[in-house]
Amino acid sequence: NAGVTQTPKFQVLKTGQSMTLQCAQDMNHEYMSWYRQDPGMGLRLIHYSVGAGITDQGEVPNGYNVSRSTTEDFPLRLLSAAPSQTSVYFCASRGDYEQFFGPGTRLTVL
Amino acid sequence: RKEVEQDPGPFNVPEGATVAFNCTYSNSASQSFFWYRQDCRKEPKLLMSVYSSGNEDGRFTAQLNRASQYISLLIRDSKLSDSATYLCVVTAGRRALTFGSGTRLQVQP
């Protein structure tokens, strides 16, 4: 049982580049979400989805897009990377009782 | 004001000590409460849920005070392996989880 997987684990981008962070879960959870974690800021919600075809904005959505074409996958797209997007990104999948996190993607934008 | 506030610490305690963390939340509609543990450079993992009546899991005790809008986590007989950051988490029904910034615990030999 893989749980929540994320790729890549590490990424360095230049300002203005775009990229997609991949997230997949094999628990058949409807609810998935993306967070970013910065020192002293805790986890902040970027976007979330309550099921295939349904997404919504969280606390800090600017500069990011998401889509949910299947229950399993929930990719996060950075449209034009900025240094302020340097962070650790966690994807999460939520069941009835517990929210499971992926191992994270450490992103640096130069 | 942050929705969920925690003392960032660090709490430096010797092995065997008892340590307590508090967390306050601002949304009175919050319904579910959790403590997550996060090890350095790892993803958060559920430590325990917090129930209105209080609950215990081994050395860990969680309590909720709805009137004052705070939750607490008590760790007895601290172990070196308890060193981590403890995240307070609240949610209102099926809405997204809201995380505190975390309290760092360092247990020393």
Side-chain angles (χ1 to χ4, degrees):
Chain A
N1 189 343
V4 181
T5 58
Q6 287 184 241
T7 56
K9 283 188 167 49
F10 302 93
Q11 183 70 50
V12 178
L13 293 177
K14 293 181 180 178
T15 296
Q17 287 184 312
S18 62
M19 78 159 295
T20 299
L21 308 185
Q22 301 293 343
C23 174
Q25 54 96 2
D26 61 1
M27 297 173 281
N28 202 33
H29 290 162
E30 294 293 332
Y31 191 101
M32 296 184 73
S33 49
W34 276 101
Y35 293 84
R36 60 177 289 174
Q37 186 173 36
D38 303 292
M41 299 289 290
L43 285 141
R44 292 184 292 168
L45 183 67
I46 304 171
H47 285 284
Y48 66 96
S49 169
V50 297
I54 306 169
T55 63
D56 206 346
Q57 296 181 350
E59 181 186 356
V60 288
N62 292 339
Y64 308 94
N65 271 356
V66 292
S67 60
R68 185 94 180 270
S69 56
T70 67
T71 300
E72 293 78 19
D73 299 299
F74 191 42
L76 178 73
R77 278 182 289 278
L78 278 70
L79 308 173
S80 177
S84 61
Q85 293 179 304
T86 293
S87 188
V88 180
Y89 291 84
F90 289 103
C91 178
S93 171
R94 183 173 170 186
D96 290 334
Y97 176 69
E98 183 175 347
Q99 176 153 293
F100 297 89
F101 287 86
T105 295
R106 298 184 180 280
L107 176 68
T108 301
V109 183
L110 303 176
Chain B
R1 183 189 171 191
K2 291 182 181 177
E3 279 195 58
V4 180
E5 298 212 51
Q6 296 182 248
D7 181 342
F11 284 62
N12 295 302
V13 302
E15 271 187 290
T18 295
V19 62
F21 310 135
N22 286 334
C23 160
T24 58
Y25 60 94
S26 60
N27 184 357
S28 59
S30 297
Q31 297 176 352
S32 301
F33 309 88
F34 309 91
W35 283 102
Y36 274 70
R37 170 191 168 128
Q38 185 173 26
D39 293 296
C40 187
R41 303 177 76 83
K42 298 283 191 180
E43 72 271 25
K45 293 184 178 178
L46 179 66
L47 177 66
M48 59 195 304
S49 300
V50 187
Y51 303 120
S52 296
S53 55
N55 49 297
E56 189 173 304
D57 183 2
R59 298 181 293 108
F60 298 84
T61 300
Q63 293 200 314
L64 167 65
N65 184 319
R66 286 189 185 271
S68 301
Q69 295 185 198
Y70 79 80
I71 68 175
S72 64
L73 177 68
L74 181 78
I75 305 175
R76 291 181 299 278
D77 189 21
S78 298
K79 311 290 185 192
L80 293 175
S81 57
D82 293 334
S83 297
T85 296
Y86 292 84
L87 303 170
C88 173
V89 184
V90 305
T91 185
R94 291 295 295 169
R95 291 181 59 190
L97 303 183
T98 301
F99 287 77
S101 300
T103 297
R104 193 155 66 90
L105 172 66
Q106 185 65 48
V107 181
Q108 295 163 337

